[in-house]
Amino acid sequence: MAASPDYEQAGELKFGQVGIANLRVRTLDPQRLAEEMADRVKRAPKLFARAAVVVDFGGLSQCPDAGQTRALLEALRGAGVLPVALAYGTSAIEALSEQVGLPLLAKFRAAYERDGELPAAPAPAPAAPAAPA
């Protein structure tokens, strides 16, 4: 007697929002970036320790090369954060993501910190009007 086929999925894939940070890189100095991120991890370890980070090179005048990017990624890892993707911006960033082995997040939007503070929470949705009695 033949065994019946197993139609159960081996894994369920869902797409949704996750708590992920976006780091807009403004310098190609790995030491400076690592020191800054290590300080943030130290001040708020539960918030930043091993934080998943999308690296965004949109704050630079030109796309870094693969060697510069690898140095920055290693510096971030050494500071206690976890780079998980690059933010899409140009075809050069797309090629760079392949060279360094990180995926692209094409539609990632982030609220950036202002004056060193975390972004404010979004305003609550307005209440629905009361139904007529």
Side-chain angles (χ1 to χ4, degrees):
M1 185 167 202
S4 62
D6 181 5
Y7 293 107
E8 178 120 9
Q9 292 179 333
E12 184 176 348
L13 181 63
K14 291 185 179 185
F15 292 90
Q17 293 181 335
V18 295
I20 191 167
N22 185 316
L23 174 62
R24 178 154 295 186
V25 175
R26 299 190 185 278
T27 179
L28 291 177
D29 181 345
Q31 183 176 350
R32 181 175 169 201
L33 187 60
E35 288 171 0
E36 183 178 309
M37 293 308 296
D39 183 55
R40 288 180 181 203
V41 170
K42 183 179 177 182
R43 286 185 287 150
K46 290 184 180 180
L47 180 63
F48 287 106
R50 301 293 297 159
V53 172
V54 174
V55 178
D56 181 353
F57 291 122
L60 297 173
S61 60
Q62 64 183 28
C63 179
D65 64 32
Q68 292 169 314
T69 302
R70 285 185 187 102
L72 286 171
L73 296 173
E74 285 306 311
L76 290 171
R77 289 179 185 114
V81 295
L82 182 62
V84 296
L86 298 183
Y88 182 77
T90 64
S91 58
I93 297 293
E94 184 175 356
L96 181 63
S97 76
E98 291 179 23
Q99 293 170 353
V100 299
L102 283 180
L104 280 176
L105 289 185
K107 295 183 180 181
F108 188 81
R109 299 201 189 276
Y112 290 97
E113 299 176 41
R114 296 175 201 254
D115 299 325
E117 295 182 17
L118 293 176

